[in-house]
Amino acid sequence: MAEQYIVGVAGVIAFLLGFVFLVRSWGLSKVKRAASMEFPKENCVNKNGNGEGEGEAVGTTEIIIVGAGVAGAALAYSLGKDECRVQLIERDLNALNRIAGEFLMPGGYLKLIELGLGDCVDEIDAQPILGYTLNKDGKEALVSFPLEKFQSHVVGKTFHNGRFVQRLRKKAASLHNVSLEQGTVTSLLEENGIVKGVHYKDKSGQLLTAYAPLTIVCDGCFSNLRRSLCHSKVDIPSYFVGFILTNCKLPKEKYGVFILADPSPILFYPISSTEIRCLVDVPSQNLPSVSNGEMAHYLKTLVAPKVLPELYNSFISAIEKKDNIRIMPNKIMAGAPHLTPGAFLIGDAFNMRHAITGGGMTVALSDVVILRDLLRPLHDLSDASAICKYLESFYTLRKPMSSTINTLANVLHKVFSAPSDPAMENLQQTLLGYLKLGGVFSSGVSALLSGLCPRPLSLAFHFIVMAIYGVGQLLLPFPSPKRLLDGAKLLWVASSVLLPIIHSEGVRQMFFPLTVPAYYRTPPKGKKI
């Protein structure tokens, strides 16, 4: 009865907040409709205004893209379809062998379809994912993606990252106006504060120079070009220790597994019809060595006892398999750009969040859609300063998706990775209880996490209602002084985790984008010859 009362109070608050959000969304939709009338979907053309590529400008490059990963290859394909002449330079065109970029959320899959790249998850043994189970101390909460309103093929997708990226590259290179080249970009070519192109070494090591009115850098989390284009403060709170399990199945078909354990959160999800990826989150300060066997000992003694019984034997076998353990740093970097005429930065080179929720590719593909739509109406790329000022709107337009997924990922990692803290333990129990309520509570959080509801205000709404629920649970059955203190601590810890992350994302851009002048930027009028 008491729990129903708490949920009822939370529901009333939810209704009031929802009304405010609805009014705000109505106003925002009006602005978006007006903006769509001002941004016709015209093809990107060369600096002489010739969309067919005839005349003196034939063969010239309009846009250089550095990096042919998920963001770079997808962007090259989408711009190439709009008849832009693109030079795509990638350091290594061989298939990647990574333990990152294996989980594409449903929201990211919708962006992939919007870009005309939905078939890139075909023929790579990609696995459909409908959600995940959240496990803690023998308790389980089922979190399903809210897919009822979508066609049956819209689900999450998991796969080998290298196979997916190779399909994207093949699609980009299939366009006649996209040139895909293997080379290492060493520096940006800058004249009088304007980027004119890049210096790079080709496969043979020969130093070359490529020129273009606009250079887009998306060379990933290890970018060597970001320093001149953004505030590159990178934090590494933990590492993922990854390996592949075989000869086993997950407890629930088409659902990943997330285990909240001490000392490390553990994730399981399929990456093919015969392979399951395991990722163990290990704090940076406690990372054991792989080479001397410390990592294997750590996994066997501290992590394995927390693994589900049906996965235990395969877990141990995977650890003992030679060269099966891989390590990846989990990097966090807020998107803080230096506006640089002639150059633009996107993808993990620009903005990273903790990989615990698998939202990176969804953010990257969303960024590609936004940047493509901004570039479509341009007729002239020669005025670098005007283009730079116009593209500043990208940083506000991307916030709904990026800040929602970034905030969730970074907050959840902090909460999940500190089980020894009583207040964090209370937060974990609150989250589990909140998800078990089902209905709008569970589906709302899942929609945010999956990229299907990229709305920062909805994120704030769920955090507020969850906090009310958590405090109410701590005060039951009677608000004694100790329970009041525990409730205050929960609110304090939750705020200390959430507010700094929101601050780094930008309060104004997240919650009040209509007050940002760049939101209303219109395309500069190009010269037609």
Side-chain angles (χ1 to χ4, degrees):
M1 184 67 184
E3 181 170 313
Q4 293 176 348
Y5 174 75
I6 294 170
V7 174
V9 172
V12 172
I13 295 175
F15 173 78
L16 295 175
L17 289 173
F19 179 75
V20 174
F21 299 158
L22 180 63
V23 172
R24 178 192 173 279
S25 298
W26 177 77
L28 188 59
S29 64
K30 287 178 67 179
V31 174
K32 288 184 176 179
R33 283 196 297 270
S36 67
M37 295 175 64
E38 297 173 2
F39 287 69
K41 292 187 177 181
E42 301 175 18
N43 289 340
C44 175
V45 297
N46 63 51
K47 62 183 180 180
N48 289 324
N50 190 334
E52 298 301 322
E54 300 175 353
E56 296 181 356
V58 170
T60 61
T61 299
E62 294 173 297
I63 296 177
I64 295 171
I65 298 177
V66 181
V70 172
L75 181 62
Y77 177 77
S78 60
L79 294 179
K81 282 205 308 180
D82 286 345
E83 296 302 324
C84 285
R85 288 184 295 277
V86 178
Q87 183 174 1
L88 179 59
I89 306 173
E90 166 57 36
R91 180 181 61 83
D92 186 358
L93 288 177
N94 295 313
L96 304 172
N97 184 15
R98 308 175 62 197
I99 63 172
E102 297 176 328
F103 203 131
L104 182 62
M105 290 293 180
Y109 181 50
L110 288 173
K111 296 297 180 183
L112 195 71
I113 294 172
E114 186 176 348
L115 291 167
L117 293 166
D119 60 343
C120 287
V121 295
D122 298 337
E123 301 178 4
I124 61 172
D125 202 12
Q127 300 300 298
I129 298 294
L130 302 179
Y132 51 90
T133 59
L134 194 61
N135 298 265
K136 179 175 172 59
D137 300 331
K139 299 177 182 178
E140 180 180 286
L142 184 66
V143 181
S144 298
F145 300 139
L147 303 172
E148 297 81 7
K149 297 180 180 179
F150 300 95
Q151 296 181 7
S152 60
H153 66 89
V154 178
V155 291
K157 298 284 185 177
T158 53
F159 39 68
H160 282 270
N161 175 266
R163 298 174 186 175
F164 177 57
V165 171
Q166 289 298 87
R167 289 295 302 266
L168 292 174
R169 291 172 177 174
K170 184 177 180 181
K171 288 276 287 189
S174 69
L175 299 177
H176 69 91
N177 49 342
V178 175
S179 169
L180 175 58
E181 180 179 358
Q182 182 164 311
T184 302
V185 175
T186 56
S187 63
L188 299 174
L189 172 62
E190 189 171 336
E191 297 177 7
N192 300 320
I194 298 175
V195 173
K196 300 289 187 177
V198 298
H199 296 296
Y200 70 102
K201 292 181 180 179
D202 64 10
K203 290 177 62 175
S204 64
Q206 181 180 1
L207 185 61
L208 302 173
T209 301
Y211 297 90
L214 180 61
T215 298
I216 300 174
V217 176
C218 40
D219 54 346
C221 63
F222 299 104
S223 173
N224 64 335
L225 301 177
R226 68 160 66 100
R227 290 184 180 179
S228 59
L229 301 176
C230 73
H231 299 278
S232 55
K233 183 181 178 181
V234 179
D235 183 29
I236 305 178
S238 69
Y239 288 80
F240 266 154
V241 179
F243 42 91
I244 294 176
L245 279 63
T246 55
N247 302 318
C248 66
K249 293 184 178 180
L250 295 176
K252 189 171 178 60
E253 187 179 4
K254 297 182 181 180
Y255 279 77
V257 174
F258 200 120
I259 302 174
L260 300 183
D262 185 4
S264 304
I266 313 166
L267 292 82
F268 295 92
Y269 52 87
I271 56 173
S272 75
S273 55
T274 59
E275 299 166 301
I276 293 174
R277 170 71 71 194
C278 175
L279 294 177
V280 179
D281 188 72
V282 180
S284 297
Q285 64 272 20
N286 299 329
L287 185 69
S289 170
V290 174
S291 59
N292 63 11
E294 289 181 358
M295 179 61 75
H297 179 74
Y298 172 89
L299 294 172
K300 287 181 179 179
T301 57
L302 295 179
V303 180
K306 312 299 172 59
V307 172
L308 300 180
E310 53 266 54
L311 299 173
Y312 181 84
N313 290 335
S314 295
F315 184 89
I316 296 297
S317 298
I319 295 170
E320 295 175 344
K321 186 177 179 180
K322 186 178 179 181
D323 299 327
N324 194 29
I325 298 177
R326 306 278 303 280
I327 296 179
M328 177 195 78
N330 286 312
K331 296 186 176 183
I332 296 176
M333 184 179 73
H338 288 308
L339 296 180
T340 306
F344 205 74
L345 190 65
I346 68 168
D348 282 350
F350 169 61
N351 177 211
M352 291 177 281
R353 77 292 310 148
H354 198 282
I356 199 165
T357 61
M361 288 192 293
T362 298
V363 173
L365 292 170
S366 175
D367 284 355
V368 169
V369 170
I370 293 168
L371 185 56
R372 177 203 64 179
D373 291 347
L374 286 172
L375 291 173
R376 265 181 169 167
L378 297 182
H379 294 277
D380 186 354
L381 297 176
S382 62
D383 189 343
S385 297
I387 298 298
C388 179
K389 184 176 181 181
Y390 162 65
L391 290 180
E392 187 181 0
S393 61
F394 168 85
Y395 301 113
T396 299
L397 295 173
R398 73 183 296 269
K399 279 297 177 181
M401 181 70 81
S402 66
S403 62
T404 298
I405 290 181
N406 291 351
T407 303
L408 258 179
N410 296 337
V411 167
L412 290 177
H413 176 257
K414 282 184 174 292
V415 173
F416 291 164
S417 60
S420 58
D421 185 332
M424 287 295 190
E425 173 72 18
N426 286 335
L427 278 177
Q428 289 186 13
Q429 296 293 350
T430 295
L431 176 61
L432 275 172
Y434 189 79
L435 293 175
K436 285 184 176 181
L437 292 176
V440 66
F441 306 105
S442 176
S443 64
V445 174
S446 179
L448 292 166
L449 190 64
S450 60
L452 296 173
C453 179
R455 296 172 185 165
L457 282 174
S458 182
L459 176 66
F461 156 75
H462 281 284
F463 271 121
I464 292 170
V465 177
M466 194 182 303
I468 295 170
Y469 171 80
V471 172
Q473 288 291 309
L474 289 174
L475 296 181
L476 293 176
F478 180 78
S480 65
K482 182 182 183 304
R483 292 193 177 101
L484 287 170
L485 180 60
D486 288 341
K489 285 182 179 179
L490 185 143
L491 290 176
W492 172 258
V493 171
S495 299
S496 65
V497 170
L498 176 63
L499 295 181
I501 294 172
I502 289 179
H503 181 265
S504 68
E505 288 293 324
V507 175
R508 187 179 180 189
Q509 286 183 312
M510 274 185 72
F511 299 110
F512 310 104
L514 299 183
T515 68
V516 180
Y519 188 90
Y520 303 95
R521 297 277 161 81
T522 56
K525 295 182 179 179
K527 298 171 288 185
K528 287 190 177 183
I529 296 177

